[in-house]
Amino acid sequence: MSSPRRLKDEDGIGATLLRSAADDGPGASSRRAVAAALGLAAIAHGTTTAAAAASTAPAATAPVAGTTATVTAATTAPAAVIASKAGISIAAKLIVGLTLATGVGVGVAVQANREPARSAAVVLPAEAVHRADTAPPARVAVTAPTVAADPVPTVPVPTVPVPTVPLPMEPVVPAVRVGSEPHAQRTTAPTTTAPTTTAPTTTAPTTTVEPSTGAGARVEEAVPTTPSLADEVAVLDAALVALRDHHTASALRLLDQYDRRFPAGTLASEAAVARIEALVAAGNRDRARALATKFLAAHGTSPLAQRVRTLTEP
Amino acid sequence: MQEATQPQPRVEPHEIVQESSTPEVRLRQLFDTQFDFVWRSLRRLGVPELLADDATQEVFLVASRRLADIEIGRERSFLFATALRIASTTRRGIARRGDHDDQAVDLLVDQTPGPDELADRQRARAVLDRILETMDLELRAVFVLYELEEMTMAEIAVTLELPPGTVASRLRRAREAFQATVSRLRGAA
């Protein structure tokens, strides 16, 4: 077997193209996300830190020490690659995508076979996973104490032991719901420093809580690049592919991602229809029907309306 | 995740995958050493970036279920074969094109930027993806392992469990297909 010289060591466009593949690799966040999903938490452990933060219940009778979980489990989603495919004729692709996906229809039985992996393995609560998917180059660090709106910087902490850091072997389970988007602080910092809290020992210490945090959670994530139609197509396209392949959970996550990144997206209707379809595939017909009703009320005359009706017919 | 009752096996770096390893240790080892390979392979076999994490997870889930069946030293082979299967499922939905669908290539030629713009690596990568997509998966597997993963043909034969002659002929055909598409790009530029 004589081995030919590798093409990338030669000159020309072909070599340039092949060399470009060297840039394509998983980000650290991919590794962490997959490790966490597989339950290989010890690998992710270094990135999954939890610090204790104090919070007070409004009534102040039973101050509860909240936990701050820093979840760094994002999928890198720079939409570059699929975006390139977007060139093909967005409309045509979408129509084809939707049409093909119809064939899938209510492939629940098949889907049940295809999906066990994900549903069984993902340990993060849905909310956290979804959020982690949001940011494009993204590392989403959710620092989410159940902090009260109280701007008073010092909070008396009783002798309640501060919750300890989750065991390295434990899957990441942030018990905290992330605050609503509008309150979220966005910074370019890819990583978050969890607010440090001095661990109380014997005396009743005071813990300073950053007043600027304000009410609710603080979310830091990389600022998304200006969304373009190509980005929209990339995300929606991926969702449609996932849907077609019966990866319903992935499809829904991608659609969540779409909604978050492009709240007023050009393809919002298509995304809405894809979601209805995904919900039907997931067996969640009630929710599908509710969305369908909403969709038809707003876009009753849209070319997509008939499709929505068909999808949610009893 | 060791069994509490089981003593932690002492693992020397050079003998990391031993029969005596517990399944958990072995899986973690596999994950640590092969994660990048699996992820890259999936991408190169046509899984879009947005789905690559999910697909990688699937590969390792399969591996974790079949750990006992994976021969020592044949881990990569197993993982790549699994990746190939998963990529083929994922890809099926993406492009229902023929192996060397002329239309697909024409479309590609139309939309490919000139050589100057190819200097932009990201763009180049996107074009490479598109070229690879026009390739039959069997050829593509050999092509990416040789040209991108820089395996030797012998290693590829082992990885894909193919006779060396088949590897050689697939590689030759894949390179021809690749070169032909590239010449068309050059001609169009």
Side-chain angles (χ1 to χ4, degrees):
Chain A
M1 241 184 322
S2 69
S3 299
R5 192 172 168 207
R6 291 198 166 76
L7 292 174
K8 70 176 168 188
D9 298 330
E10 302 192 350
D11 294 328
I13 298 181
T16 308
L17 292 175
L18 288 169
R19 280 196 294 264
S20 73
D23 301 345
D24 196 19
S29 58
S30 290
R31 182 182 277 263
R32 284 192 296 265
V34 177
L38 288 165
L40 297 174
I43 291 167
H45 144 243
T47 65
T48 313
T49 56
S55 67
T56 46
T61 45
V64 181
T67 49
T68 305
T70 306
V71 183
T72 320
T75 10
T76 39
V81 178
I82 314 185
S84 67
K85 287 197 302 187
I88 293 186
S89 158
I90 292 155
K93 250 184 103 58
L94 282 171
I95 290 162
V96 169
L98 286 169
T99 318
L100 288 174
T102 335
V104 171
V106 198
V108 185
V110 185
Q111 186 252 335
N113 283 335
R114 294 279 304 133
E115 278 298 305
R118 183 150 265 290
S119 42
V122 172
V123 290
L124 296 173
E127 190 67 22
V129 174
H130 289 180
R131 180 154 296 277
D133 274 339
T134 347
R139 211 172 307 192
V140 184
V142 183
T143 315
T146 49
V147 178
D150 192 355
V152 177
T154 46
V155 190
V157 175
T159 47
V160 174
V162 171
T164 48
V165 176
L167 297 171
M169 290 311 207
E170 289 288 312
V172 196
V173 183
V176 199
R177 213 188 125 88
V178 177
S180 54
E181 195 75 57
H183 299 294
Q185 266 187 358
R186 284 159 182 273
T187 73
T188 42
T191 50
T192 317
T193 42
T196 46
T197 311
T198 42
T201 47
T202 44
T203 56
T206 52
T207 308
T208 45
V209 175
E210 258 184 72
S212 65
T213 314
R218 186 168 60 135
V219 176
E220 296 187 23
E221 54 186 68
V223 174
T225 47
T226 321
S228 69
L229 186 56
D231 293 333
E232 278 192 50
V233 173
V235 178
L236 186 54
D237 195 40
L240 290 171
V241 167
L243 187 57
R244 209 176 306 153
D245 290 342
H246 311 293
H247 298 288
T248 314
S250 296
L252 285 168
R253 282 191 301 133
L254 288 161
L255 289 168
D256 287 344
Q257 188 185 130
Y258 177 91
D259 288 352
R260 265 194 309 271
R261 286 179 61 192
F262 318 107
T266 314
L267 303 169
S269 300
E270 283 78 4
V273 176
R275 180 182 293 279
I276 293 169
E277 184 153 351
L279 288 167
V280 170
N284 193 346
R285 292 191 75 87
D286 289 346
R287 176 117 178 85
R289 217 167 280 144
L291 287 183
T293 309
K294 205 170 132 195
F295 182 89
L296 292 172
H299 315 280
T301 55
S302 149
L304 294 165
Q306 187 48 46
R307 210 177 131 49
V308 171
R309 287 189 197 99
T310 317
L311 273 173
T312 52
E313 264 167 12
Chain B
M1 272 148 282
Q2 299 285 324
E3 298 288 330
T5 52
Q6 223 158 10
Q8 179 92 17
R10 209 187 126 94
V11 181
E12 297 295 332
H14 63 275
E15 53 180 27
I16 213 107
V17 184
Q18 289 290 316
E19 304 263 15
S20 59
S21 295
T22 64
E24 291 81 5
V25 169
R26 194 169 174 215
L27 181 64
R28 184 168 306 168
Q29 188 57 40
L30 212 54
F31 183 89
D32 276 349
T33 56
Q34 305 299 329
F35 176 83
D36 284 16
F37 171 70
V38 170
W39 197 95
R40 274 197 317 265
S41 296
L42 286 162
R43 287 281 301 116
R44 291 167 179 180
L45 293 170
V47 173
E49 192 158 1
L50 284 166
L51 297 176
D53 284 3
D54 279 359
T56 307
Q57 184 186 330
E58 276 193 60
V59 171
F60 280 103
L61 275 167
V62 172
S64 73
R65 282 197 297 267
R66 307 235 347 247
L67 213 51
D69 303 335
I70 307 174
E71 285 173 46
I72 306 286
R74 303 300 307 275
E75 290 89 354
R76 266 189 168 217
S77 183
F78 178 89
L79 291 171
F80 191 82
T82 309
L84 200 56
R85 235 182 15 254
I86 285 166
S88 130
T89 322
T90 310
R91 248 167 65 101
R92 213 177 44 206
I94 301 168
R96 290 166 192 271
R97 297 182 192 136
D99 302 353
H100 299 285
D101 189 333
D102 278 348
Q103 265 186 328
V105 176
D106 283 342
L107 203 58
L108 179 62
V109 170
D110 290 347
Q111 292 168 357
T112 300
D116 291 346
E117 287 178 85
L118 278 182
D120 175 348
R121 287 177 73 106
Q122 199 172 354
R123 208 180 271 265
R125 204 177 80 184
V127 173
L128 175 65
D129 275 353
R130 299 267 299 280
I131 295 179
L132 293 177
E133 265 176 50
T134 66
M135 234 182 239
D136 174 76
L137 203 54
E138 284 183 347
L139 298 190
R140 181 175 181 161
V142 175
F143 186 81
V144 300
L145 287 178
Y146 188 81
E147 298 290 349
L148 301 178
E149 210 53 51
E150 300 191 52
M151 284 188 184
T152 64
M153 294 217 279
E155 283 168 342
I156 296 171
V158 170
T159 301
L160 296 178
E161 298 182 330
L162 289 172
T166 309
V167 172
S169 85
R170 284 188 190 173
L171 180 61
R172 184 177 44 73
R173 280 156 59 208
R175 282 165 62 104
E176 280 167 10
F178 180 82
Q179 300 280 40
T181 308
V182 169
S183 327
R184 289 177 69 176
L185 295 183
R186 197 185 289 124

